[in-house]
Amino acid sequence: PITPGELLCLGSSLAFSGLFYYLYRKKAKVVARIQEAPKLQVDDNLPALVSAAEGRCLPYVALEGIVLPAQAALTSHYHEGLQGVIQKLLLREHRLIWNSLVRSW
């Protein structure tokens, strides 16, 4: 016979496994999109390519060429000699607002 404690442990184990699998699949899609990112050269044509893109945004792009930092270059903590720059940072915030009339988010 199975005890209630064992059923609780089994149920929570299945719930956590499902949650972690969902997170894994979500991150795997992002990694696949990054690996398929187009490679563009840093030159005078780059602003025209960005403005011609849908929504004036390129979600994932690998830039090849010399990019100069505005202040100091970012250095990697994990790989010596690896440097990078942040040209533009865009943050979008989505808010959930409680609607008390329909009792939903």
Side-chain angles (χ1 to χ4, degrees):
I2 298 175
T3 65
E6 290 173 334
L7 284 176
L8 180 66
C9 289
L10 179 64
S12 62
S13 175
L14 288 174
F16 280 122
S17 295
L19 173 68
F20 292 140
Y21 182 72
Y22 167 76
L23 293 174
Y24 165 76
R25 294 298 301 161
K26 190 174 177 181
K27 297 299 177 185
K29 288 179 185 178
V30 172
V31 168
R33 287 184 64 193
I34 290 172
Q35 289 175 343
E36 296 169 357
K39 294 181 180 173
L40 302 176
Q41 295 292 326
V42 177
D43 55 8
D44 295 334
N45 296 333
L46 187 60
L49 289 172
V50 172
S51 63
E54 181 181 332
R56 294 177 41 100
C57 179
L58 298 170
Y60 298 103
V61 175
L63 294 177
E64 296 177 339
I66 298 174
V67 180
L68 299 175
Q71 294 176 353
L74 301 172
T75 57
S76 173
H77 295 286
Y78 305 106
H79 302 283
E80 284 188 34
L82 186 62
Q83 294 184 338
V85 296
I86 297 176
Q87 182 180 7
K88 183 178 178 182
L89 179 64
L90 177 65
L91 176 65
R92 289 187 185 163
E93 183 177 342
H94 300 280
R95 290 186 172 188
L96 295 175
I97 300 173
W98 174 256
N99 187 343
S100 61
L101 295 176
V102 293
R103 300 202 183 277
S104 65
W105 289 100

